Amino acid sequence: MARKRILITGAAGFLGSHLCDRFIKEDFQVIGMDNLITGDLRNIEHLFKLENFEFYNHDVSKFVYVAGNLDYILHFASPASPIDYLKIPIQTLKVGSLGIHNLLGLARSKKSRLLIASTSEVYGDPTVNPQPEEYWGNVNPVGPRGVYDEAKRFQEAITMAYHTFHGLETRIVRIFNTYGPRMRLNDGRVLPAFIGQALRGEDLTIFGDGSQTRSFCYVDDLVEGIYRLLFSDYVQPMNIGNPDEITIKEFCEEIIKLTGAKQKVVYNELPTDDPKQRRPDIIKAKAILGWEPKVNRAEGLKITYEYFKSLSEHEIKHKDFTYYNNK
Ligand code: UDP
C-alpha cells in the first residue's frame, strides 16, 4: 500500500523537526517545508538520505504548490519566541495569516486534513488559571506579542471558518511552553537563555521578580499529543501541555542545580505584557485523547542539557541573530 503523504511546514524548526521524525517513524511520506528564517537544516539533515523524506525551501506566505496527493498537512511554520516577534514582526503576522490561507486552499484542493499549531498565547496574560479551552483570553493586540497572538487567533478563526463553511477536516492544537533538544540556544526563551548563560559562565537573567509562572512540557510528550489529536475526531481547539506549574525563580534554581553554575542571578526588567501565570487545563486531552505528559521536568531537563552541552563551543558562544539576514 502506498504511504500516506503529509506536508509539515516549519519542518526545520524545533517542533517541526520532531514531528518529521515521528511521521517518518510511522512510515509516512514526509514533505518538509521551511524558509529557514528561524529554522535550521541541521535539525533534519539526518532525514535527507531517506527515500520517504523530501524538503522544500519555501515561504508558505507565498503560494504553496505540492505535486501529487496529500493526506495531511501540519502547519508549524512560525517564529515562536518573544525575541523573534520583536525582530521579525511582519513575517510573524504573515505566516499566521497569508500562510494559513494558502495552506487552507491547498488542503481544500487536495482534500487533506489540516492541523494547525496554535498556542497558549491566544490566552494572552490570562486572568484564570489554569486555562481551559473555553477561556477567551486577555490579549493586547498592539503590544509586542500582539503580532504573534493575533496571528494565531486569526489562524484559529480562519481554520474554523473553512471547517464550518467548506467542511474541511481541521484540528487545532494550543501548545503551551515546550522544551527539548533542537531548541535554538539563542532564541531568547527562558530555558535556552538560562542553560546558555550557565554554559558561557554568564550571570543568569531573571526578568521581573521571577514570580511569574510557566508549565514546561517535554517535546516527546507534546508530539504524542499532537499525533493523537490529528487522528481523533475532535475539531475544537485542544490544549496540549504539561500542567506542572513553576515560578521562573524556582525554574532558575533548578537550572543552577542541574548545571552546577556558580555565577550569580541578576534581575532585569519584566518585558511588556509578559504573562504572569500560565498552566494548561488538560481535562479534554485526557478524556478525549487519553493523553497526559509522561516525562517529568528533571528527566526532560537532563536530556535537554546534554543536547546543549553537545553543541560546538562556537554555537554556544554565538549569541547574535545573523540567521535573520537570509531574508
Ligand atoms: N525569562 C527570564 N529570563 C530570561 C528569559 C525569559 O526570566 O532570560 C522569563 C520571561 O520574562 C517569561 C518566562 O521567562 O516570564 C518565559 O519566557 P519565554 O521567553 O521562554 O516564553 P513565554 O512563555 O513568555 O512566551
Side-chain angles (χ1 to χ4, degrees):
M1 211 176 70
R3 287 187 178 110
K4 294 277 186 201
R5 285 161 53 85
I6 185 165
L7 170 68
I8 302 180
T9 75
F14 165 46
L15 298 182
S17 66
H18 283 282
L19 286 163
C20 287
D21 284 343
R22 176 63 189 264
F23 282 89
I24 289 282
K25 206 173 117 204
E26 305 285 347
D27 203 30
F28 279 68
Q29 181 74 27
V30 174
I31 301 154
M33 193 172 276
D34 204 299
N35 66 353
L36 304 176
I37 296 192
T38 58
D40 189 332
L41 281 183
R42 281 173 300 185
N43 291 335
I44 46 171
E45 66 183 352
H46 58 288
L47 301 178
F48 278 79
K49 59 179 183 292
L50 304 176
E51 55 148 359
N52 57 329
F53 183 72
E54 299 159 47
F55 178 77
Y56 297 93
N57 183 339
H58 180 72
D59 180 351
V60 297
S61 303
K62 306 200 174 90
F63 185 82
V64 180
Y65 172 77
V66 174
N69 65 309
L70 210 46
D71 300 289
Y72 302 99
I73 300 174
L74 303 183
H75 184 34
F76 277 70
S78 177
S81 92
I83 281 191
D84 292 340
Y85 319 147
L86 293 176
K87 298 244 175 189
I88 41 174
I90 312 291
Q91 285 95 331
T92 304
L93 278 161
K94 281 168 75 176
V95 75
S97 51
L98 308 181
I100 186 61
H101 189 217
N102 290 333
L103 294 169
L104 286 160
L106 181 69
R108 266 190 88 198
S109 73
K110 305 276 184 186
K111 300 190 172 33
S112 331
R113 180 178 295 182
L114 173 91
L115 180 147
I116 61 160
S118 189
T119 165
S120 55
E121 280 287 316
V122 301
Y123 303 123
D125 186 3
T127 53
V128 298
N129 200 45
Q131 294 84 54
E133 289 86 347
E134 291 75 21
Y135 178 55
W136 289 354
N138 178 34
V139 170
N140 174 4
V142 293
R145 289 172 182 254
V147 295
Y148 183 67
D149 301 6
E150 295 297 359
K152 291 291 187 180
R153 288 171 68 100
F154 172 82
Q155 190 173 266
E156 287 196 8
I158 192 171
T159 299
M160 200 48 92
Y162 268 68
H163 172 71
T164 47
F165 190 73
H166 289 306
L168 192 74
E169 284 205 53
T170 55
R171 305 288 182 268
I172 301 174
V173 58
R174 289 187 181 151
I175 298 169
F176 284 65
N177 293 65
T178 303
Y179 69 98
R182 303 185 194 153
M183 285 186 101
R184 265 174 23 231
L185 195 52
N186 61 0
D187 80 354
R189 288 187 158 275
V190 68
L191 183 146
F194 286 165
I195 292 186
Q197 288 159 345
L199 290 175
R200 290 187 297 267
E202 297 168 359
D203 293 343
L204 282 84
T205 54
I206 289 182
F207 297 166
D209 63 5
S211 64
Q212 70 272 33
T213 67
R214 293 295 185 272
S215 310
F216 298 96
C217 184
Y218 187 65
V219 63
D220 289 357
D221 283 333
L222 184 93
V223 166
E224 179 62 28
I226 291 168
Y227 191 83
R228 291 189 190 195
L229 178 63
L230 179 66
F231 298 112
S232 78
D233 293 332
Y234 194 71
V235 297
Q236 294 299 316
M238 171 141 349
N239 289 341
I240 298 285
N242 189 324
D244 186 1
E245 187 178 7
I246 184 173
T247 67
I248 293 302
K249 192 161 184 250
E250 288 164 336
F251 186 62
C252 186
E253 283 156 14
E254 285 189 1
I255 300 284
I256 289 173
K257 220 170 123 199
L258 174 75
T259 59
K262 299 273 180 293
Q263 51 274 35
K264 57 181 192 309
V265 173
V266 295
Y267 289 82
N268 293 345
E269 206 179 319
L270 191 69
T272 310
D273 299 339
D274 197 290
K276 285 179 275 307
Q277 51 187 357
R278 185 183 290 150
R279 173 185 180 178
D281 178 329
I282 57 165
I283 287 173
K284 284 200 175 56
K286 275 187 183 160
I288 296 165
L289 309 179
W291 175 88
E292 61 182 322
K294 298 251 178 306
V295 182
N296 68 34
R297 211 168 38 245
E299 292 169 73
L301 285 181
K302 201 160 163 279
I303 301 167
T304 310
Y305 180 47
E306 290 304 320
Y307 166 77
F308 283 130
K309 272 202 300 192
S310 76
L311 299 177
S312 70
E313 208 181 311
H314 173 77
E315 281 173 278
I316 291 169
K317 293 237 158 77
H318 186 75
K319 286 191 296 172
D320 62 7
F321 296 90
T322 43
Y323 51 85
Y324 293 125
N325 294 341
N326 71 4
K327 281 288 127 181

